[in-house]
C-alpha cells in the first residue's frame, strides 16, 4: 500500500530532511490519501497543523485547485524553513502557501470560521481533541478533517498503553465517531488516517 504511488525526488528529499530533524512526516499512502481528498473537494483553502517539513504540504498542494492556498502552522521555525525549501524544489510557488510559525492552539483562533475546505492535523498528539474543536469551527459545511497517526503505532488498540499521547488520540477517535455533526471514517493507511466530513 505504501509503495502503490511512489514518491518523487522533491517528496523523498523533504521526507529525508523531516526525519533528520525528528519531524516524522505522514507516510506515502497517507499523503496520497490527502491528495485524493484535496482533489475530491477541489480544495481552495486548506489548513495544515504540523508541516512535516513539507511532505504533507506537497501532497496537499498537488491535489488542491491551481490557485488554492495552503495555510501551514508549525511551532518550529526550522520545520517551516525546510517546508519552504521542499515547496520550491517541487515547483510550488510562494503565492500558494501561507506559513505561520507558532503554537497551533494560539494561531488557529485567529483563522476565519467556516472558511476552509480541509483541515489536516499532524502535530502535538496531546492536543488532538483541541484540534478537533478548531477544525469544526474552521471547516465549511461539506469540508473534511483528517488526523494522522490515528492508530499511533498500534498503541491505541492496546489498553495497556495509557500515556498522554495515546489517550488523547483515543479520545479524538471516540469524539469523531460519536459526533452527529460528522461523517467519520478511519483509513488503514500508514499509521492510520482518521477522516470526517462536516455535515451541512
Amino acid at each position: 500500500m505504501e509503495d502503490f504511488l511512489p514518491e518523487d525526488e522533491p517528496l523523498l528529499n523533504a521526507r529525508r530532511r523531516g526525519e533528520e530533524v525528528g519531524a516524522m512526516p505522514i507516510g506515502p499512502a497517507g499523503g496520497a490519501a490527502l491528495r485524493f481528498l484535496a482533489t475530491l473537494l477541489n480544495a481552495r483553502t486548506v489548513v495544515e497543523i504540523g508541516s512535516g517539513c513539507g511532505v504533507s504540504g506537497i501532497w496537499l498542494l498537488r491535489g488542491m485547485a491551481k490557485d488554492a492556498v495552503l495555510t501551514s502552522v508549525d511551532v518550529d521555525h526550522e520545520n517551516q524553513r525546510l517546508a519552504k525549501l521542499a515547496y520550491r524544489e517541487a515547483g510550488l510557488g510562494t503565492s500558494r502557501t501561507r506559513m505561520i510559525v507558532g503554537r497551533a492552539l494560539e494561531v488557529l483562533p485567529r483563522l476565519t470560521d467556516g472558511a476552509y475546505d480541509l483541515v489536516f492535523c499532524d502535530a502535538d498528539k496531546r492536543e488532538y481533541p483541541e484540534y478537533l474543536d478548531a477544525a469544526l469551527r474552521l471547516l465549511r459545511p461539506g469540508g473534511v478533517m483528517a488526523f494522522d497517526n490515528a492508530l499511533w503505532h498500534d498503541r491505541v488498540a492496546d489498553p495497556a498503553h495509557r500515556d498522554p499521547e495515546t489517550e488523547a488520540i483515543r479520545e479524538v477517535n471516540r469524539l469523531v465517531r460519536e459526533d452527529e455533526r460528522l461523517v467519520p471514517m478511519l483509513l488503514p493507511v500508514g499509521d492510520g488516517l482518521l477522516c470526517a466530513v462536516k455535515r451541512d
Side-chain angles (χ1 to χ4, degrees):
M1 184 179 289
E2 291 296 319
D3 297 331
F4 179 68
L5 294 172
E7 293 185 316
D8 60 8
E9 188 172 352
L11 278 166
L12 291 171
N13 288 341
R15 180 173 302 286
R16 175 183 50 78
R17 289 189 292 260
E19 291 170 354
E20 285 172 357
V21 300
M24 296 302 292
I26 192 168
L34 291 179
R35 183 181 66 176
F36 181 88
L37 291 171
T39 303
L40 190 66
L41 292 163
N42 192 31
R44 304 179 65 83
T45 52
V46 174
V47 175
E48 169 190 64
I49 306 169
S51 68
C53 296
V55 173
S56 51
I58 291 174
W59 280 110
L60 285 164
L61 285 161
R62 286 178 174 174
M64 293 163 65
K66 295 301 181 188
D67 57 347
V69 176
L70 171 70
T71 298
S72 180
V73 180
D74 199 301
V75 71
D76 192 301
H77 185 274
E78 179 67 2
N79 290 355
Q80 291 288 52
R81 185 187 71 80
L82 293 174
K84 290 178 186 177
L85 172 61
Y87 301 151
R88 283 198 304 273
E89 289 180 353
L92 300 165
T94 56
S95 64
R96 299 199 57 202
T97 58
R98 177 171 63 150
M99 313 295 284
I100 304 174
V101 177
R103 285 193 66 243
L105 296 181
E106 295 172 1
V107 172
L108 297 174
R110 303 199 303 262
L111 302 182
T112 305
D113 292 6
Y116 295 90
D117 300 310
L118 194 156
V119 176
F120 171 60
C121 307
D122 188 16
D124 188 339
K125 309 310 172 198
R126 294 166 296 182
E127 296 179 350
Y128 266 27
E130 288 84 3
Y131 298 162
L132 171 59
D133 291 338
L136 281 164
R137 181 181 60 79
L138 294 171
L139 284 172
R140 62 165 175 81
V144 172
M145 63 180 71
F147 293 81
D148 193 25
N149 305 114
L151 302 176
W152 198 228
H153 316 297
D154 298 325
R155 293 187 183 104
V156 169
D158 183 351
H161 290 282
R162 309 294 294 179
D163 57 279
E165 291 83 3
T166 303
E167 292 282 31
I169 296 170
R170 278 193 194 111
E171 177 70 0
V172 83
N173 284 337
R174 182 188 67 77
L175 290 169
V176 167
R177 186 176 63 242
E178 296 177 359
D179 195 320
E180 294 184 357
R181 296 169 293 178
L182 299 172
V183 179
M185 178 173 61
L186 178 57
L187 293 174
V189 296
D191 194 26
L193 189 67
L194 176 65
C195 303
V197 179
K198 181 179 176 180
R199 292 183 188 272
D200 293 341

